[in-house]
Amino acid sequence: MTDECITRNFSLLNRSNSGGSSNGQTKSNRSSIIDNTDAKGCMEGSSGGATGTGSGVPSSINKYVARMPVDRYASEYNMNHKYRGQAIIFNHEFFDIPSLKSRAGTNVDAEELRKALKSLGFDVSVHKDCKLRDILKYIDKAASLDHTDNDCIAIAILSHGEHGYIYAKDVQYKLDAIWHYFTAHICPTLAGKPKLFFIQACQGDRLDAGVMLEKNGVTETDGESSMSYKIPIHADFLFSYSTIPGYFSWRNTTNGSWYMQSLIQELNTNGKKYDILTLLTFVSQRVAIDFESNVPSTPLMDRQKQIPCVTSMLTRILRFTDKPSGNKAG
Amino acid sequence: MTDECITRNFSLLNRSNSGGSSNGQTKSNRSSIIDNTDAKGCMEGSSGGATGTGSGVPSSINKYVARMPVDRYASEYNMNHKYRGQAIIFNHEFFDIPSLKSRAGTNVDAEELRKALKSLGFDVSVHKDCKLRDILKYIDKAASLDHTDNDCIAIAILSHGEHGYIYAKDVQYKLDAIWHYFTAHICPTLAGKPKLFFIQACQGDRLDAGVMLEKNGVTETDGESSMSYKIPIHADFLFSYSTIPGYFSWRNTTNGSWYMQSLIQELNTNGKKYDILTLLTFVSQRVAIDFESNVPSTPLMDRQKQIPCVTSMLTRILRFTDKPSGNKAG
């Protein structure tokens, strides 16, 4: 046996948008073309390295089927379901952990974010100072709902954090503990729909001092394509972090965090105008340019900068277009 | 002393695009508003937790200054420099490490990517089967160049990988080892310009079996703003990974990897039409929908899916608009 795998490439002939095979290659249904994976592990042993504990997914998973929320080659997500969908805000101000100070300003963030998401049509719930078991209870409940008539889901977490971890009221946890509830095989009514995460929390204790810049000079949705299609279970997630891994995330005790202030302002100003990745690019611009810490008494903390970080597994353009009135909440 | 930090918020009054403060908040130059960082560490001790080894950045960094490549609130990156910029492709086929098999198909990826980047105006160089010391030599040399007349820089790595690591010919390394060369304080002539990374490599040995979806129903650039402004040193990076952390990345021994085939086809078809995040969303759509592994003899590897992953710290829209002929390479 070899580690080399055969690709089905089953649909290349049927692709209709974006101009098809423009680079001169002719595509066809190839049933015997050799594939590899680019993993060290895949190259060893008789089973191609994928039978170890790392693979994690039994072949029986191939049976999973979900309803198609949008045509196969649509360039935009379908945001025309009856409802926009659920938005859940986990707002953390006070902690049981002695080393964690209360997060003054977070209630401004939570309230402004609630209003911004509501005006985009979300059915918003806010949960204050939850212990991890309660967070998981709400997440499990949300993942168990029928989202058939909803466009998407949004989860926001406002808390303390450090590298790789976020704090609940009582313990720290990894974001993985939450977002895996919404993978397409576990939550099929959200399969093929955007799953949005907004995280306001530190990802470490490093500081970004910045660089001064000085002046010097100066698809539309496809028509019909009724074939069934298969998507990766991890597709259609988006994670918007307030800061990059390893770094501080700043919060103003009166106005809320730099990131949440910026996110809320962009959602309110351009939320229905631009797609989400453009919106979040402008959020990054606001945070990166408009804010700077001022702690002259602590030189190491003084005049520091922050850059948010977006990680996207989205497969289509996402735009919060208007809904008919009366269908504002899901 | 307290951990609470004072925010300068120095420029909120001057913000001119995107409608400003639309959420009813009035902004002003506040010199005494209290800030926190959302880190556990920041709350302890007399120095706010930022004096540990984690902070890494001396306060003297505040002196770093670079040339402003674009107006402060421009919504798009300035892609009208004399040259597009350097593109460096590290193409790995053969390895000194016995467990790593040769990567058949990678030369197709490298050659097609070279042509695609060249047609977007990049000055492309391809380095084959480099040892780590040679990779670092080329990276160091590139970071030392004067990029004043260039729009941006692009680095592509085609190799084996596993969680958190990429393989050079001789040893594994972290992507951090490369991209830190281009942070704004180390490479000031790229400050405020896009720094693009395209990574074709496994990030682990997990498999994504997918879910079947079945049919059921249905900025423009600002005008003048001549003030100097400060940006985070980590702003303006973009990382486009072929797969998500922990997962396999698939490669066809004849046609090249699923991700590179898709990236190249999008660059060739829509490279000058859409912004980079829209382009990469469509790359993800191609990989997620068009490809599926076919290894009936190894059920665990059979009919598996893949989803790419984009991590963006961009602060403006990036579009590879046409350059005047004669200025194709930088």
Side-chain angles (χ1 to χ4, degrees):
Chain A
M1 180 181 282
T2 165
D3 60 281
E4 297 186 328
C5 318
I6 300 162
T7 311
R8 194 166 276 126
N9 274 11
F10 63 91
S11 66
L12 286 171
L13 265 183
N14 299 310
R15 186 160 194 103
S16 57
N17 73 339
S18 307
S21 55
S22 65
N23 59 354
Q25 294 181 10
T26 52
K27 303 283 186 184
S28 64
N29 280 3
R30 299 177 189 89
S31 60
S32 61
I33 287 177
I34 305 303
D35 256 10
N36 272 343
T37 60
D38 270 333
K40 178 191 172 197
C42 186
M43 309 305 147
E44 298 164 333
S46 62
S47 62
T51 54
T53 52
S55 76
V57 185
S59 61
S60 63
I61 200 174
N62 287 316
K63 73 179 185 298
Y64 289 112
V65 172
R67 186 188 297 212
M68 189 188 305
V70 66
D71 280 335
R72 182 172 183 145
Y73 291 117
S75 57
E76 301 216 5
Y77 284 104
N78 174 8
M79 302 301 276
N80 294 312
H81 294 87
K82 191 171 177 187
Y83 306 115
R84 181 70 80 216
Q86 302 273 313
I88 307 174
I89 299 172
F90 293 103
N91 177 27
H92 292 277
E93 185 174 15
F94 302 110
F95 299 84
D96 288 345
I97 302 160
S99 60
L100 296 183
K101 199 172 167 182
S102 62
R103 297 183 60 254
T106 192
N107 294 331
V108 179
D109 281 349
E111 176 57 14
E112 293 297 323
L113 183 64
R114 187 192 65 75
K115 287 192 281 188
L117 291 172
K118 187 166 187 296
S119 77
L120 292 176
F122 282 96
D123 177 18
V124 191
S125 56
V126 183
H127 302 292
K128 183 81 189 293
D129 293 336
C130 287
K131 294 185 174 181
L132 180 57
R133 67 161 183 267
D134 294 320
I135 293 174
L136 296 178
K137 186 184 75 184
Y138 288 121
I139 291 290
D140 188 33
K141 187 179 163 198
S144 308
L145 288 177
D146 182 354
H147 299 265
T148 302
D149 290 333
N150 296 354
D151 293 335
C152 61
I153 193 166
I155 312 280
I157 302 169
L158 292 65
S159 187
H160 285 301
E162 56 189 62
H163 207 119
Y165 292 93
I166 303 167
Y167 280 90
K169 185 180 178 67
D170 53 343
V171 289
Q172 61 181 15
Y173 64 99
K174 288 198 164 193
L175 190 58
D176 293 7
I178 286 186
W179 74 269
H180 280 147
Y181 279 80
F182 299 101
T183 48
H185 64 309
I186 295 175
C187 185
T189 58
L190 282 174
K193 299 177 179 180
K195 293 162 275 279
L196 313 174
F197 292 79
F198 302 95
I199 317 296
Q200 162 59 40
C202 280
Q203 293 206 60
D205 60 1
R206 301 186 70 178
L207 293 160
D208 186 323
V211 163
M212 178 67 73
L213 297 185
E214 293 192 341
K215 193 83 176 175
N216 180 283
V218 170
T219 315
E220 191 176 330
T221 305
D222 274 6
E224 279 305 294
S225 65
S226 60
M227 272 178 58
S228 293
Y229 60 98
K230 202 167 144 191
I231 58 166
I233 62 173
H234 300 93
D236 308 308
F237 280 87
L238 178 134
F239 302 91
S240 171
Y241 297 96
S242 58
T243 188
I244 56 174
Y247 281 77
F248 276 126
S249 183
W250 293 83
R251 174 175 34 82
N252 185 290
T253 54
T254 304
N255 297 322
S257 57
W258 299 357
Y259 163 75
M260 276 291 159
Q261 285 183 65
S262 303
L263 174 66
I264 289 157
Q265 199 157 67
E266 274 305 317
L267 289 176
N268 285 335
T269 311
N270 299 314
K272 295 176 181 176
K273 185 172 165 192
Y274 299 132
D275 68 277
I276 187 84
L277 292 177
T278 300
L279 276 174
L280 292 175
T281 299
F282 291 153
V283 170
S284 292
Q285 182 180 133
R286 286 177 183 270
V287 173
I289 296 180
D290 287 357
F291 295 90
E292 182 179 82
S293 68
N294 185 5
V295 205
S297 58
T298 311
L300 272 167
M301 300 291 277
D302 190 32
R303 311 189 67 157
Q304 298 299 312
K305 303 291 285 180
Q306 178 180 329
I307 179 75
C309 174
V310 186
T311 293
S312 170
M313 288 97 96
L314 298 182
T315 58
R316 306 176 195 282
I317 293 167
L318 167 56
R319 214 183 297 267
F320 295 112
T321 45
D322 265 324
K323 292 208 157 302
S325 58
N327 290 334
K328 288 277 181 187
Chain B
M1 181 181 285
T2 165
D3 60 280
E4 296 185 327
C5 319
I6 300 161
T7 310
R8 194 166 276 125
N9 274 11
F10 62 90
S11 67
L12 285 170
L13 265 183
N14 299 310
R15 185 160 195 104
S16 57
N17 74 340
S18 307
S21 56
S22 65
N23 60 353
Q25 294 182 9
T26 51
K27 303 283 187 185
S28 62
N29 280 2
R30 300 175 189 90
S31 61
S32 60
I33 287 177
I34 304 303
D35 255 10
N36 271 343
T37 61
D38 271 332
K40 177 191 172 196
C42 185
M43 309 306 146
E44 298 164 333
S46 62
S47 62
T51 52
T53 52
S55 75
V57 184
S59 61
S60 62
I61 200 172
N62 287 316
K63 73 180 185 299
Y64 289 112
V65 172
R67 186 188 297 212
M68 189 190 305
V70 66
D71 279 336
R72 181 171 184 147
Y73 292 117
S75 56
E76 301 216 5
Y77 283 105
N78 174 8
M79 301 302 275
N80 295 312
H81 294 87
K82 191 171 178 188
Y83 305 114
R84 181 70 79 217
Q86 302 271 315
I88 306 174
I89 300 173
F90 292 103
N91 178 28
H92 292 277
E93 186 174 14
F94 302 110
F95 299 84
D96 289 345
I97 302 161
S99 60
L100 296 183
K101 200 172 168 182
S102 63
R103 297 182 60 254
T106 192
N107 294 332
V108 179
D109 280 350
E111 176 56 14
E112 293 297 322
L113 183 63
R114 187 192 65 75
K115 288 192 282 189
L117 291 173
K118 187 168 186 296
S119 78
L120 291 177
F122 282 96
D123 177 17
V124 191
S125 55
V126 182
H127 302 292
K128 184 81 190 292
D129 293 337
C130 287
K131 294 185 175 182
L132 180 57
R133 67 161 183 267
D134 294 320
I135 292 173
L136 295 179
K137 187 185 74 184
Y138 288 121
I139 290 291
D140 188 33
K141 187 180 163 198
S144 308
L145 288 176
D146 181 354
H147 300 265
T148 302
D149 289 334
N150 296 355
D151 292 336
C152 60
I153 193 167
I155 312 280
I157 302 169
L158 291 64
S159 187
H160 286 301
E162 56 189 63
H163 207 118
Y165 291 94
I166 303 168
Y167 280 90
K169 185 181 179 64
D170 54 343
V171 291
Q172 61 182 15
Y173 63 100
K174 288 199 164 193
L175 189 59
D176 292 6
I178 285 185
W179 73 270
H180 282 147
Y181 279 78
F182 299 100
T183 47
H185 63 308
I186 294 176
C187 185
T189 58
L190 283 173
K193 299 177 180 181
K195 292 162 274 280
L196 313 174
F197 291 78
F198 302 95
I199 317 296
Q200 163 59 40
C202 280
Q203 293 206 60
D205 59 1
R206 301 186 70 179
L207 293 159
D208 185 323
V211 162
M212 179 68 73
L213 297 184
E214 292 192 342
K215 192 85 177 175
N216 179 284
V218 172
T219 318
E220 189 178 330
T221 305
D222 273 8
E224 280 304 295
S225 66
S226 60
M227 269 178 60
S228 294
Y229 60 98
K230 200 167 145 193
I231 58 166
I233 62 172
H234 299 93
D236 308 309
F237 280 86
L238 178 134
F239 302 92
S240 171
Y241 297 96
S242 58
T243 188
I244 57 174
Y247 281 78
F248 276 126
S249 182
W250 293 83
R251 172 174 36 82
N252 185 290
T253 55
T254 304
N255 296 323
S257 58
W258 300 357
Y259 163 75
M260 276 291 159
Q261 285 183 64
S262 304
L263 174 66
I264 289 157
Q265 199 156 68
E266 273 305 316
L267 290 176
N268 285 334
T269 311
N270 299 315
K272 295 175 181 176
K273 186 172 163 192
Y274 299 131
D275 68 276
I276 187 83
L277 292 177
T278 300
L279 276 175
L280 292 174
T281 299
F282 292 153
V283 170
S284 292
Q285 182 179 133
R286 286 178 182 270
V287 173
I289 297 181
D290 288 356
F291 295 90
E292 181 177 83
S293 68
N294 185 5
V295 205
S297 59
T298 311
L300 272 169
M301 299 291 277
D302 190 32
R303 310 190 67 158
Q304 297 300 311
K305 303 292 284 179
Q306 178 180 329
I307 179 74
C309 174
V310 186
T311 294
S312 169
M313 287 97 96
L314 298 182
T315 57
R316 306 176 195 282
I317 293 167
L318 166 56
R319 213 183 300 264
F320 294 113
T321 45
D322 266 324
K323 291 209 158 299
S325 59
N327 289 334
K328 288 276 181 186

